[in-house]
Amino acid sequence: MGDMTNSDFYTKNQRNDSNHEGGFGCSLMELRSLMELRGTEAVVKIQEDYGGTEGLCQRLKTSPTEGLAGLATDLDKRKEVFGRNLIPPKKPKTFLQLVWEALQDVTLIILEIAALISLGLSFYQPPGEGNTDACGDAKAGAEDEGESEAGWIEGAAILLSVVCVVLVTAFNDWSKEKQFRGLQSRIEQEQKFQVVRGGQVIQLPVADILVGDIAQIKYGDLLPADGVLIQGNDLKIDESSLTGESDHVRKAADKDPMLLSGTHVMEGSGRMVVTAVGVNSQSGIIFTLLGAGGEEEEKKEKKGQALEDGHPLPGKMQDGNMENNQTKVKKQDGAAAMEMQPLKSAEGGETEEKEKKKTSVSKKEKSVLQGKLTKLAVQIGKAGLVMSAITVIILVLYFAIDTFVRQKRPWLTECTPIYIQYFVKFFIIGVTVLVVAVPEGLPLAVTISLAYSVKKMMKDNNLVRHLDACETMGNATAICSDKTGTLTTNRMTAVQVYVADVHYKTIPEPTSLPSKTLDILVNAISLNSAYTTKILPADKEGGLPKQVGNKTECGLLGLVLDLKRDYQTIRNQIPEEKLYKVYTFNSVRKSMSTVIKLPDGSFRMYSKGASEIILKKCSRILSEVGEPRVFRPRDRDEMVKKVIEPMACDGLRTICVGYRDFPKDPEPNWEDENNILTDLTAICVVGIEDPVRPEVPDAIQKCQRAGITVRMVTGDNINTARAIAIKCGIIHPGEDFLCIDGKEFNRRIRNEKGEVEQERIDKVWPKLRVLARSSPTDKHTLVKGIIDSTLVDQRQVVAVTGDGTNDGPALKKADVGFAMGIAGTDVAKEASDIILTDDNFSSIVKAVMWGRNVYDSISKFLQFQLTVNVVAVIVAFTGACITQDSPLKAVQMLWVNLIMDTFASLALATEPPTESLLMRKPYGRNKPLISSTMTKNILGHGVYQLVIIFSLLFVGEQIFDIDSGRNAPLHSPPSEHYTIIFNTFVMMQLFNEINARKIHGERNVFDGIFRNPIFCSIVVGTFAIQIVIVQFGGKPFSCSPLDLEKWMWCVFLGMGELVWGQVISTIPNSKLRFLRGAGQLTQKDEMPEEEMNEDQEEIDHAERELRRGQILWFRGLNRIQTQIEVVNTFKSGTAFQGALRRQSSTTSQNQDVTNVSSPSHVSLCNALSSPTSTAAPSGQC
């Protein structure tokens, strides 16, 4: 077996191993090697070495039924001997490392070098002092000895400001890192697991699970530690995360009892004894290999040891598929599982690449916003580079021609340093132009905005696992939602019951039922439900009783209590171990059955499940006296009509309960499910109510107003689903919509061969509102179909909610997957992007609001930043060309850059969202980042600022009656003239920052300004620092103090920005046709060239096929629409809504032209520009 020799080898290495550490009957290493066995091999080993699972439990000093006693001393000892259930996270980057990373920025490096050269040259005194005049004007202005001494200041100041920039960047990264670690640990703490301690079932945080604990495992769990199965029902595990085999593995105590951490329970339930936790568990070992303990590993490798911390490197990992394992584990993308934590941070390079490929396949392309931003930043950067290069070339040429050609001076060797100093100065000016031009604040703004949103979204019950999900949500055009628990409260109560041939509209008195029927009914419900499902007394006086476990089962147990019986006494008579066979509920069976052995040796099976499914399997039914009578297909049809449909139309979920008796000889073949689950006797049909959450109808209305289509995808029957959908407001009676079930859906979308065809899906999804009795594959097919659809010009962005294990594929496929935090299984949480901690649909609306807010924050920041960029670059460029010196000095530029990039991104990215964000349609994937309104603002404000600055530059000295600062020699003292220009420039930026708060052309820029304290404090703070810089900045900032009058002028010119902003917003966009193109800076490359301009008068193919009259009609409408749209740019005034409503009513009459699904939010532009479209929300609106 080789294992024993192995353990002998460890005995030498491990302290007091001989007497089995800490008095337990087996050592850490024995357990570790035991967990590496599989299947029968493992069964044999446990039997031989430990005397079965009982023996193993004894050696671990635990009881298979009572669990650990839970004494503090015992628990601490276990932690010491067997370790804790956590994998030590990789050390976070230190602040210094982050500083070092921030220093890697290319532009900063160029600046540093330039500054150092400048410093070096300023200290160099050329020999031959007397010969100064030979160098021409170059030396002029250095007469004043004190001034030439100060030549080093500029270089030092640049270095200082570089340090500032670096520290700010590093601090931002550091706080971001800290936030995400916090988020990570929050997710870890959220994950709890059911453990038996001292005979009580308790929920324990995963990190507190110890070796020897008895854990209860059920469908949908992600196993937190390794263990050996003690007792299981129909248990199937997905071990693909460890072995890469996608088939589900059947586990049974006598066949394959080994359960491994990080694997998913796909079916069934059971109990296991924990044998390995943390770094000693199978996934823990892999993590250690992946380098969660990377540093130690490097040291070990040098010594060439195969041992790692005294553990074997599991080279004999199952079937040597080590590499396979490493990459497989990768799939388990991060956060839901505590085990998975180090993944993100801790992989080596090569696996990282694989990870990237993996994620890029499983997750969609780069988030829309990041794609647009990267492209924009590159474009701006290129432009900046060109401008700065031209600036430097012009300055150098001008200087050379002026000095050596016009003044015909020879190049003297002693003058070289002076000339070089000039060239360095020119170079510095060029670099500063580049620094100002490159918007390095963009990524910063995105990160700040997202991090801020994520933090705030926690308060709104959204726990974001993937940052970009937050922003994608703002573009969502469709939400496919579950019904149970998301739209409804998930508090099931039985309100109607059909039993003993009577349909009771309220729960009957127990006395009115035949006692036989009552007994069978109570037994059937009590035994045939998970024993973990309970109804506990309310937490506070007068509250509702607490439902624990499966909510539908809670509803049925509630029925038992209403019938004045106690389910617990029945469960105590037949504990879980005595259940003979359990067919657990899964999405294929849609029923659950439990077999018990009766005292006389015969068997009885209780079944419950969806009424139409169980009734099909019933051949008898209990009559009014409690005796079985024949139940024919026509009786069934009548029952469906008279009982089930009326219940369903009240929005009730109908559950049928039945039973069947089997003889003891011959014992039936329990594996042959089809023959077992037939020929049942129906006991009753229960109508269970799950009330709609009070806040849901309102939330759904908001979604529809925001241009998001809500679809309900549920496993319930179609009548129930339709009734709930009407209550929620997903469908309004009298509209043209589809409510179909899974069967019909598949019939419509599959061709003769049974393959799904996109064209067929395109015929279904636009009108589909409710998909009932759907399987997980249906959900996945629908989501994929909507995402891949090319029916509308904007690709649909789909959000999906899910809670079950089977929702995994749909959650992964969707653009944003929401998992339920309370009802959701670990598997669903793993696959999701956002976890709803309160399982509430209205939290999704909050997520949409935050998502749109992120997008708007970035746009605000862009609008502000680009204005500054344009102005600063043009000023530096023109100034340099005309006056040989940039009016804004290098240090001043860096300060402006700091205001623009860091502070502005903080101020504008932290605007809280408002309800008005939900009044517009989604932007869509290919709407340009910079809308025409924004372009108008950028150019408008740019013109104002340039006019002011050039006026000051060229006639400023006459206006203020001061010395001109133009053509000043190299080290001349700072002039008041240039200080005024710098100060006015900063003042204009400050006031323009207030303008930038609105990007849709709103008039009131101060609206809600005090709701954002960060914004106010940054504006005030910047103003204060500016005063200090101007008054006391002196030489380093090239500033000369200004008196009050000049200050007032600067502020006055700055405030002109606010007035000018009003002027700009008065100009209608329609007058500025040329801006249409400008706004399209970042058309996504992979997008087909679509008609981005709404006002295209061209007629596309679909229109050509229509009758000519319709064409004319559309053309007319198109014109009206363009006018309406122009007048009401970005406003959703009531008049516009009204116009929409009127328009849509005419459109919807013309069904073959446009299929308008809900008049209140029909999207005009789409309905009109592409007649076959389906009123899909459009980015062009």
Side-chain angles (χ1 to χ4, degrees), residues 160 224 232 407-408 411 443 488 498 537 563 594 615 709 776 876 880 924-925 969 1081 1098 1109 1131 1149 1173:
L160 191 71
Q407 301 179 18
K408 300 195 170 52
W411 178 298
T488 58
Y498 176 88
L563 292 170
T594 303
L615 283 177
T709 317
R925 281 183 165 275
L1081 252 176
E1098 255 173 62
K1131 286 215 183 94
Q1149 288 157 14
S1173 98

PDB file of all heavy atoms in Angstrom, residues 160 224 232 407-408 411 443 488 498 537 563 594 615 709 776 876 880 924-925 969 1081 1098 1109 1131 1149 1173:
ATOM      1  N   LEU A 160       9.294  66.909  -6.296  1.00  0.00           N
ATOM      2  CA  LEU A 160       8.372  66.889  -5.175  1.00  0.00           C
ATOM      3  C   LEU A 160       6.959  66.566  -5.638  1.00  0.00           C
ATOM      4  O   LEU A 160       6.256  65.736  -5.055  1.00  0.00           O
ATOM      5  CB  LEU A 160       8.403  68.246  -4.463  1.00  0.00           C
ATOM      6  CG  LEU A 160       7.680  68.254  -3.121  1.00  0.00           C
ATOM      7  CD1 LEU A 160       8.493  67.462  -2.111  1.00  0.00           C
ATOM      8  CD2 LEU A 160       7.494  69.684  -2.619  1.00  0.00           C
ATOM      9  N   PRO A 224     -16.843  22.300   2.673  1.00  0.00           N
ATOM     10  CA  PRO A 224     -15.816  23.185   3.219  1.00  0.00           C
ATOM     11  C   PRO A 224     -14.569  22.443   3.689  1.00  0.00           C
ATOM     12  O   PRO A 224     -13.570  23.060   3.987  1.00  0.00           O
ATOM     13  CB  PRO A 224     -16.526  23.817   4.413  1.00  0.00           C
ATOM     14  CG  PRO A 224     -17.513  22.782   4.851  1.00  0.00           C
ATOM     15  CD  PRO A 224     -17.898  21.983   3.650  1.00  0.00           C
ATOM     16  N   GLY A 232     -25.737   8.492   3.843  1.00  0.00           N
ATOM     17  CA  GLY A 232     -26.107   9.379   2.744  1.00  0.00           C
ATOM     18  C   GLY A 232     -27.345   8.896   2.023  1.00  0.00           C
ATOM     19  O   GLY A 232     -27.631   7.703   1.992  1.00  0.00           O
ATOM     20  N   GLN A 407      21.320  85.915 -34.656  1.00  0.00           N
ATOM     21  CA  GLN A 407      22.340  86.692 -33.958  1.00  0.00           C
ATOM     22  C   GLN A 407      23.751  86.234 -34.341  1.00  0.00           C
ATOM     23  O   GLN A 407      24.734  86.781 -33.846  1.00  0.00           O
ATOM     24  CB  GLN A 407      22.138  86.569 -32.442  1.00  0.00           C
ATOM     25  CG  GLN A 407      20.769  87.068 -32.012  1.00  0.00           C
ATOM     26  CD  GLN A 407      20.578  86.915 -30.508  1.00  0.00           C
ATOM     27  OE1 GLN A 407      21.546  86.761 -29.783  1.00  0.00           O
ATOM     28  NE2 GLN A 407      19.329  86.976 -30.074  1.00  0.00           N
ATOM     29  N   LYS A 408      23.830  85.206 -35.185  1.00  0.00           N
ATOM     30  CA  LYS A 408      25.104  84.700 -35.714  1.00  0.00           C
ATOM     31  C   LYS A 408      26.145  84.483 -34.619  1.00  0.00           C
ATOM     32  O   LYS A 408      27.274  84.913 -34.732  1.00  0.00           O
ATOM     33  CB  LYS A 408      25.652  85.690 -36.757  1.00  0.00           C
ATOM     34  CG  LYS A 408      24.705  85.882 -37.940  1.00  0.00           C
ATOM     35  CD  LYS A 408      25.421  86.562 -39.080  1.00  0.00           C
ATOM     36  CE  LYS A 408      24.631  86.568 -40.365  1.00  0.00           C
ATOM     37  NZ  LYS A 408      23.258  87.099 -40.241  1.00  0.00           N
ATOM     38  N   TRP A 411      28.955  78.594 -31.372  1.00  0.00           N
ATOM     39  CA  TRP A 411      28.668  77.732 -30.204  1.00  0.00           C
ATOM     40  C   TRP A 411      29.963  77.624 -29.407  1.00  0.00           C
ATOM     41  O   TRP A 411      30.940  77.037 -29.849  1.00  0.00           O
ATOM     42  CB  TRP A 411      28.219  76.357 -30.713  1.00  0.00           C
ATOM     43  CG  TRP A 411      27.947  75.393 -29.582  1.00  0.00           C
ATOM     44  CD1 TRP A 411      28.824  74.935 -28.656  1.00  0.00           C
ATOM     45  CD2 TRP A 411      26.695  74.764 -29.274  1.00  0.00           C
ATOM     46  NE1 TRP A 411      28.217  74.072 -27.789  1.00  0.00           N
ATOM     47  CE2 TRP A 411      26.904  73.944 -28.143  1.00  0.00           C
ATOM     48  CE3 TRP A 411      25.420  74.816 -29.863  1.00  0.00           C
ATOM     49  CZ2 TRP A 411      25.885  73.178 -27.582  1.00  0.00           C
ATOM     50  CZ3 TRP A 411      24.415  74.062 -29.294  1.00  0.00           C
ATOM     51  CH2 TRP A 411      24.643  73.246 -28.161  1.00  0.00           C
ATOM     52  N   PRO A 443      -8.350  55.550 -15.372  1.00  0.00           N
ATOM     53  CA  PRO A 443      -8.461  54.294 -14.622  1.00  0.00           C
ATOM     54  C   PRO A 443      -8.742  54.547 -13.147  1.00  0.00           C
ATOM     55  O   PRO A 443      -9.518  53.846 -12.529  1.00  0.00           O
ATOM     56  CB  PRO A 443      -7.097  53.629 -14.812  1.00  0.00           C
ATOM     57  CG  PRO A 443      -6.218  54.650 -15.436  1.00  0.00           C
ATOM     58  CD  PRO A 443      -7.080  55.652 -16.094  1.00  0.00           C
ATOM     59  N   THR A 488     -41.347  36.850  -4.648  1.00  0.00           N
ATOM     60  CA  THR A 488     -42.267  36.542  -3.552  1.00  0.00           C
ATOM     61  C   THR A 488     -41.465  36.491  -2.256  1.00  0.00           C
ATOM     62  O   THR A 488     -40.244  36.530  -2.281  1.00  0.00           O
ATOM     63  CB  THR A 488     -42.934  35.181  -3.797  1.00  0.00           C
ATOM     64  OG1 THR A 488     -41.910  34.200  -3.913  1.00  0.00           O
ATOM     65  CG2 THR A 488     -43.739  35.200  -5.073  1.00  0.00           C
ATOM     66  N   TYR A 498     -57.327  20.106  -0.900  1.00  0.00           N
ATOM     67  CA  TYR A 498     -58.362  19.200  -1.418  1.00  0.00           C
ATOM     68  C   TYR A 498     -58.065  17.850  -0.801  1.00  0.00           C
ATOM     69  O   TYR A 498     -57.041  17.236  -1.094  1.00  0.00           O
ATOM     70  CB  TYR A 498     -58.279  19.125  -2.944  1.00  0.00           C
ATOM     71  CG  TYR A 498     -59.264  18.132  -3.535  1.00  0.00           C
ATOM     72  CD1 TYR A 498     -60.551  18.531  -3.865  1.00  0.00           C
ATOM     73  CD2 TYR A 498     -58.910  16.801  -3.746  1.00  0.00           C
ATOM     74  CE1 TYR A 498     -61.467  17.640  -4.400  1.00  0.00           C
ATOM     75  CE2 TYR A 498     -59.814  15.904  -4.273  1.00  0.00           C
ATOM     76  CZ  TYR A 498     -61.104  16.319  -4.601  1.00  0.00           C
ATOM     77  OH  TYR A 498     -62.006  15.438  -5.124  1.00  0.00           O
ATOM     78  N   PRO A 537     -40.232  28.478  16.839  1.00  0.00           N
ATOM     79  CA  PRO A 537     -41.011  29.611  17.364  1.00  0.00           C
ATOM     80  C   PRO A 537     -40.383  30.942  16.932  1.00  0.00           C
ATOM     81  O   PRO A 537     -39.186  31.006  16.655  1.00  0.00           O
ATOM     82  CB  PRO A 537     -40.910  29.421  18.884  1.00  0.00           C
ATOM     83  CG  PRO A 537     -39.797  28.450  19.107  1.00  0.00           C
ATOM     84  CD  PRO A 537     -39.723  27.596  17.889  1.00  0.00           C
ATOM     85  N   LEU A 563     -53.266  21.320  11.537  1.00  0.00           N
ATOM     86  CA  LEU A 563     -54.178  20.198  11.786  1.00  0.00           C
ATOM     87  C   LEU A 563     -53.965  19.671  13.213  1.00  0.00           C
ATOM     88  O   LEU A 563     -54.335  18.534  13.509  1.00  0.00           O
ATOM     89  CB  LEU A 563     -53.938  19.077  10.766  1.00  0.00           C
ATOM     90  CG  LEU A 563     -54.325  19.436   9.319  1.00  0.00           C
ATOM     91  CD1 LEU A 563     -53.841  18.377   8.347  1.00  0.00           C
ATOM     92  CD2 LEU A 563     -55.824  19.623   9.182  1.00  0.00           C
ATOM     93  N   THR A 594     -39.844   8.996  -0.070  1.00  0.00           N
ATOM     94  CA  THR A 594     -39.112   8.358   1.023  1.00  0.00           C
ATOM     95  C   THR A 594     -39.738   6.992   1.283  1.00  0.00           C
ATOM     96  O   THR A 594     -40.967   6.891   1.384  1.00  0.00           O
ATOM     97  CB  THR A 594     -39.200   9.218   2.300  1.00  0.00           C
ATOM     98  OG1 THR A 594     -38.703  10.516   2.010  1.00  0.00           O
ATOM     99  CG2 THR A 594     -38.389   8.607   3.427  1.00  0.00           C
ATOM    100  N   LEU A 615     -50.042  13.437  -9.868  1.00  0.00           N
ATOM    101  CA  LEU A 615     -51.373  12.913 -10.238  1.00  0.00           C
ATOM    102  C   LEU A 615     -51.282  11.982 -11.442  1.00  0.00           C
ATOM    103  O   LEU A 615     -52.039  11.024 -11.548  1.00  0.00           O
ATOM    104  CB  LEU A 615     -52.347  14.059 -10.513  1.00  0.00           C
ATOM    105  CG  LEU A 615     -52.896  14.758  -9.267  1.00  0.00           C
ATOM    106  CD1 LEU A 615     -53.793  15.914  -9.659  1.00  0.00           C
ATOM    107  CD2 LEU A 615     -53.671  13.792  -8.367  1.00  0.00           C
ATOM    108  N   THR A 709     -36.738  45.070 -19.627  1.00  0.00           N
ATOM    109  CA  THR A 709     -37.827  44.106 -19.683  1.00  0.00           C
ATOM    110  C   THR A 709     -37.613  43.060 -18.602  1.00  0.00           C
ATOM    111  O   THR A 709     -36.542  42.463 -18.531  1.00  0.00           O
ATOM    112  CB  THR A 709     -37.814  43.382 -21.044  1.00  0.00           C
ATOM    113  OG1 THR A 709     -37.572  44.349 -22.053  1.00  0.00           O
ATOM    114  CG2 THR A 709     -39.125  42.691 -21.293  1.00  0.00           C
ATOM    115  N   PRO A 776     -33.534  24.005 -15.873  1.00  0.00           N
ATOM    116  CA  PRO A 776     -32.335  24.862 -15.903  1.00  0.00           C
ATOM    117  C   PRO A 776     -31.800  25.060 -17.320  1.00  0.00           C
ATOM    118  O   PRO A 776     -31.338  26.140 -17.665  1.00  0.00           O
ATOM    119  CB  PRO A 776     -31.334  24.079 -15.063  1.00  0.00           C
ATOM    120  CG  PRO A 776     -32.152  23.226 -14.176  1.00  0.00           C
ATOM    121  CD  PRO A 776     -33.406  22.912 -14.900  1.00  0.00           C
ATOM    122  N   ALA A 876      -0.329  75.533 -23.469  1.00  0.00           N
ATOM    123  CA  ALA A 876       1.105  75.258 -23.385  1.00  0.00           C
ATOM    124  C   ALA A 876       1.721  75.283 -24.774  1.00  0.00           C
ATOM    125  O   ALA A 876       2.791  75.858 -24.990  1.00  0.00           O
ATOM    126  CB  ALA A 876       1.329  73.898 -22.742  1.00  0.00           C
ATOM    127  N   ALA A 880       4.080  78.256 -25.964  1.00  0.00           N
ATOM    128  CA  ALA A 880       5.473  77.894 -26.231  1.00  0.00           C
ATOM    129  C   ALA A 880       5.880  78.373 -27.607  1.00  0.00           C
ATOM    130  O   ALA A 880       7.000  78.852 -27.811  1.00  0.00           O
ATOM    131  CB  ALA A 880       5.624  76.386 -26.131  1.00  0.00           C
ATOM    132  N   GLY A 924     -26.866  51.196 -23.762  1.00  0.00           N
ATOM    133  CA  GLY A 924     -26.530  50.218 -24.795  1.00  0.00           C
ATOM    134  C   GLY A 924     -25.024  50.108 -24.939  1.00  0.00           C
ATOM    135  O   GLY A 924     -24.268  50.969 -24.500  1.00  0.00           O
ATOM    136  N   ARG A 925     -24.605  49.015 -25.595  1.00  0.00           N
ATOM    137  CA  ARG A 925     -23.181  48.714 -25.626  1.00  0.00           C
ATOM    138  C   ARG A 925     -22.398  49.640 -26.525  1.00  0.00           C
ATOM    139  O   ARG A 925     -21.219  49.845 -26.329  1.00  0.00           O
ATOM    140  CB  ARG A 925     -22.984  47.294 -26.136  1.00  0.00           C
ATOM    141  CG  ARG A 925     -23.236  46.304 -25.069  1.00  0.00           C
ATOM    142  CD  ARG A 925     -22.977  44.930 -25.574  1.00  0.00           C
ATOM    143  NE  ARG A 925     -22.876  44.025 -24.452  1.00  0.00           N
ATOM    144  CZ  ARG A 925     -21.787  43.790 -23.756  1.00  0.00           C
ATOM    145  NH1 ARG A 925     -20.714  44.337 -24.050  1.00  0.00           N
ATOM    146  NH2 ARG A 925     -21.771  42.984 -22.747  1.00  0.00           N
ATOM    147  N   PRO A 969      13.780  85.890 -19.220  1.00  0.00           N
ATOM    148  CA  PRO A 969      14.972  85.041 -19.346  1.00  0.00           C
ATOM    149  C   PRO A 969      14.880  83.795 -18.442  1.00  0.00           C
ATOM    150  O   PRO A 969      13.929  83.647 -17.681  1.00  0.00           O
ATOM    151  CB  PRO A 969      16.101  85.965 -18.903  1.00  0.00           C
ATOM    152  CG  PRO A 969      15.448  87.049 -18.141  1.00  0.00           C
ATOM    153  CD  PRO A 969      14.082  87.211 -18.673  1.00  0.00           C
ATOM    154  N   LEU A1081     -16.502  59.052 -30.477  1.00  0.00           N
ATOM    155  CA  LEU A1081     -15.100  58.739 -30.318  1.00  0.00           C
ATOM    156  C   LEU A1081     -14.834  57.255 -30.225  1.00  0.00           C
ATOM    157  O   LEU A1081     -13.934  56.735 -30.825  1.00  0.00           O
ATOM    158  CB  LEU A1081     -14.645  59.379 -29.013  1.00  0.00           C
ATOM    159  CG  LEU A1081     -13.756  60.571 -29.223  1.00  0.00           C
ATOM    160  CD1 LEU A1081     -13.427  61.188 -27.909  1.00  0.00           C
ATOM    161  CD2 LEU A1081     -12.515  60.151 -29.969  1.00  0.00           C
ATOM    162  N   GLU A1098     -32.508  57.249 -44.299  1.00  0.00           N
ATOM    163  CA  GLU A1098     -32.449  56.081 -45.165  1.00  0.00           C
ATOM    164  C   GLU A1098     -33.459  55.050 -44.734  1.00  0.00           C
ATOM    165  O   GLU A1098     -33.779  54.963 -43.570  1.00  0.00           O
ATOM    166  CB  GLU A1098     -31.114  55.414 -44.922  1.00  0.00           C
ATOM    167  CG  GLU A1098     -30.128  55.613 -45.980  1.00  0.00           C
ATOM    168  CD  GLU A1098     -28.857  55.002 -45.429  1.00  0.00           C
ATOM    169  OE1 GLU A1098     -28.834  53.793 -45.166  1.00  0.00           O
ATOM    170  OE2 GLU A1098     -27.941  55.775 -45.231  1.00  0.00           O
ATOM    171  N   GLY A1109     -47.224  52.622 -48.356  1.00  0.00           N
ATOM    172  CA  GLY A1109     -47.917  53.554 -47.465  1.00  0.00           C
ATOM    173  C   GLY A1109     -47.242  53.587 -46.108  1.00  0.00           C
ATOM    174  O   GLY A1109     -47.025  54.641 -45.527  1.00  0.00           O
ATOM    175  N   LYS A1131     -34.314  64.623 -21.776  1.00  0.00           N
ATOM    176  CA  LYS A1131     -35.280  64.967 -20.739  1.00  0.00           C
ATOM    177  C   LYS A1131     -36.380  63.953 -20.815  1.00  0.00           C
ATOM    178  O   LYS A1131     -36.811  63.582 -21.887  1.00  0.00           O
ATOM    179  CB  LYS A1131     -35.873  66.346 -21.007  1.00  0.00           C
ATOM    180  CG  LYS A1131     -34.921  67.465 -20.699  1.00  0.00           C
ATOM    181  CD  LYS A1131     -35.679  68.650 -20.141  1.00  0.00           C
ATOM    182  CE  LYS A1131     -34.750  69.800 -19.887  1.00  0.00           C
ATOM    183  NZ  LYS A1131     -34.670  70.730 -20.986  1.00  0.00           N
ATOM    184  N   GLN A1149     -51.138  49.291 -32.958  1.00  0.00           N
ATOM    185  CA  GLN A1149     -52.233  48.799 -33.809  1.00  0.00           C
ATOM    186  C   GLN A1149     -51.652  48.158 -35.042  1.00  0.00           C
ATOM    187  O   GLN A1149     -52.245  47.311 -35.670  1.00  0.00           O
ATOM    188  CB  GLN A1149     -53.122  49.967 -34.238  1.00  0.00           C
ATOM    189  CG  GLN A1149     -53.953  50.488 -33.079  1.00  0.00           C
ATOM    190  CD  GLN A1149     -54.375  51.921 -33.319  1.00  0.00           C
ATOM    191  OE1 GLN A1149     -54.265  52.405 -34.423  1.00  0.00           O
ATOM    192  NE2 GLN A1149     -54.844  52.570 -32.279  1.00  0.00           N
ATOM    193  N   SER A1173     -38.165  45.747 -35.253  1.00  0.00           N
ATOM    194  CA  SER A1173     -37.636  45.619 -33.906  1.00  0.00           C
ATOM    195  C   SER A1173     -38.780  45.447 -32.943  1.00  0.00           C
ATOM    196  O   SER A1173     -39.921  45.625 -33.266  1.00  0.00           O
ATOM    197  CB  SER A1173     -36.901  46.875 -33.535  1.00  0.00           C
ATOM    198  OG  SER A1173     -37.736  47.680 -32.791  1.00  0.00           O
TER     199      SER A1173
END
